[in-house]
Amino acid sequence: MNKFVRHAATAGLLLAAGSGHAAGSLSFSSEETVDSSPATVWKYVGDFNGFDLWHPQVRNSTVKGAATNKVGAVRTLKLSDGSELVEKLLKYSAANTSYTYTSLKSPFPIKNYVATISVSPAPGGKTLMKWSATFDAVNIDEDIATEMVAIALNGGLWKVVANFEKPAAPEDAPAAEAAAAPPATP
């Protein structure tokens, strides 16, 4: 009987330890169409240690532990305001062009943060980039916590879109010049 109790207690501890990265009760998801192929966009955003290359609020990214894109890798992100985020890679699939990570340390009033970034084909040779997260608010209104996450995720998505924007086709030069010129007086 004591052996059974020990096994039950061990199982309970393992379940409790595993729930430390459980998804939160709140969620936010955003997606944008990027004017480039999925392979090219994935090269840009698919490196777990590459946030400093494309997210406007991340100044530096370093990885400890496992190799950069291996489950278990832990990255530290230095933000533009000097604060730090520490995040752990939970899933990574180059074949499915997606990865999932969780926050271990954050200056933001949220916990149980789990996010997934993915890219997939979109019409016209473009890419649909999606970033979704689940989380819980800590001592803050849920709407405010959700808005904070939305700002962070959308800021990154918009930067990726801007990076791949193609210049607008030049207008018909003579027509543009005529429209810009003041009317002739008789």
Side-chain angles (χ1 to χ4, degrees):
M1 188 71 159
N2 284 340
K3 189 175 184 180
F4 174 76
V5 171
R6 277 194 310 246
H7 287 303
T10 301
L13 288 172
L14 289 172
L15 285 172
S19 68
H21 299 299
S25 60
L26 301 174
S27 64
F28 179 80
S29 184
S30 189
E31 57 187 42
E32 292 289 336
T33 300
V34 183
D35 197 8
S36 192
S37 72
T40 300
V41 175
W42 183 247
K43 283 180 187 177
Y44 189 56
V45 302
D47 182 1
F48 183 61
N49 192 33
F51 258 48
D52 55 341
L53 301 176
W54 61 269
H55 197 289
Q57 296 303 315
V58 177
R59 296 295 166 243
N60 187 33
S61 179
T62 56
V63 169
K64 285 193 230 174
T68 298
N69 294 325
K70 299 292 182 195
V71 170
V74 175
R75 71 178 173 201
T76 300
L77 304 175
K78 300 268 186 185
L79 304 182
S80 58
D81 67 359
S83 60
E84 284 186 355
L85 285 167
V86 178
E87 299 172 330
K88 181 177 182 178
L89 187 61
L90 300 176
K91 296 178 190 172
Y92 186 90
S93 176
N96 294 326
T97 57
S98 69
Y99 61 90
T100 300
Y101 63 95
T102 187
S103 179
L104 302 177
K105 175 187 168 193
S106 173
F108 306 110
I110 58 174
K111 66 179 182 177
N112 298 325
Y113 178 86
V114 177
T116 299
I117 292 176
S118 65
V119 300
S120 58
K126 297 180 181 186
T127 298
L128 181 66
M129 182 174 168
K130 184 175 182 181
W131 198 351
S132 58
T134 58
F135 53 94
D136 290 316
V138 177
N139 299 323
I140 190 171
D141 182 84
E142 291 179 349
D143 290 338
I144 294 171
T146 301
E147 183 63 23
M148 291 173 74
V149 170
I151 289 168
L153 273 57
N154 284 331
L157 285 171
W158 296 337
K159 175 70 174 183
V160 173
V161 169
N163 184 69
F164 288 101
E165 276 183 336
K166 296 202 168 64
E171 295 182 34
D172 182 59
E177 289 172 12
T185 52

